[in-house]
Amino acid sequence: MTMGSDMYRQQILDHYKNPRNYGELPEVTYSHAGENPMCGDEITVDVKLDDDEETIEHVAFRGDGCAISQASASMLSQKLQGMSVEEMQELDRDDVIDMLGVDISPMRVKCAVLAEKVVQDGADIYEGEKDLDKTTTEEDD
């Protein structure tokens, strides 16, 4: 185990215990929920777009789940602010795992990418490209 991975583990614990942007936004452009049934993680993400409808102004999330899913949602809520919707849609599991900074076992990847999938599906629904009530990580198998 390297010192670097210890630092990232501390960061994940910090985001889990003190989540950033946790709660609801008073005004949202879209809100979407998702779950990882394997682990019991549930997250709802609120997104407020700037007046240009292309830039993410603010992100908040709420939910319950393991340290990885909640820390990932917290870190993502910070990373997405100021990003374009297009840039957000291009994020993939590797970006999320890199953001977390630790090796994640295959079983935990679904925990890590839940918030990313929820925010991306929410944007697709908002833009009329998808129609679903809730995102689930089960479709990844």
Side-chain angles (χ1 to χ4, degrees):
M1 182 185 324
T2 66
M3 286 301 286
S5 65
D6 268 354
M7 182 183 74
Y8 282 112
R9 279 192 185 84
Q10 289 301 319
Q11 180 177 308
I12 287 170
L13 278 175
D14 180 48
H15 275 271
Y16 176 62
K17 292 177 181 172
N18 308 294
R20 307 338 180 247
N21 305 304
Y22 191 87
E24 288 183 62
L25 291 180
E27 293 179 39
V28 300
T29 306
Y30 69 86
S31 186
H32 186 59
E35 64 182 358
N36 171 11
M38 293 290 289
C39 192
D41 306 316
E42 292 184 4
I43 288 178
T44 299
V45 179
D46 293 342
V47 176
K48 170 91 171 89
L49 296 179
D50 205 340
D51 292 337
D52 66 9
E53 293 278 307
E54 292 173 16
T55 307
I56 297 169
E57 189 178 308
H58 201 73
V59 178
F61 78 98
R62 57 202 172 280
D64 205 17
C66 70
I68 296 283
S69 74
Q70 299 299 298
S72 178
S74 174
M75 294 163 91
L76 198 63
S77 74
Q78 292 183 303
K79 181 180 176 118
L80 293 176
Q81 295 186 52
M83 198 180 266
S84 74
V85 173
E86 190 176 323
E87 290 170 320
M88 177 267 293
Q89 290 289 37
E90 291 171 1
L91 291 175
D92 62 20
R93 70 172 39 189
D94 292 336
D95 295 318
V96 174
I97 291 167
D98 288 348
M99 176 186 74
L100 289 169
V102 292
D103 288 331
I104 297 187
S105 69
M107 285 298 294
R108 307 298 282 181
V109 168
K110 289 181 179 184
C111 306
V113 301
L114 178 61
E116 172 220 355
K117 298 230 174 284
V118 169
V119 78
Q120 288 172 337
D121 282 352
D124 286 343
I125 294 163
Y126 174 70
E127 292 167 1
E129 295 171 21
K130 261 189 189 168
D131 180 24
L132 47 98
D133 294 329
K134 188 179 250 189
T135 294
T136 175
T137 54
E138 288 304 285
E139 298 135 22
D140 291 351
D141 291 340

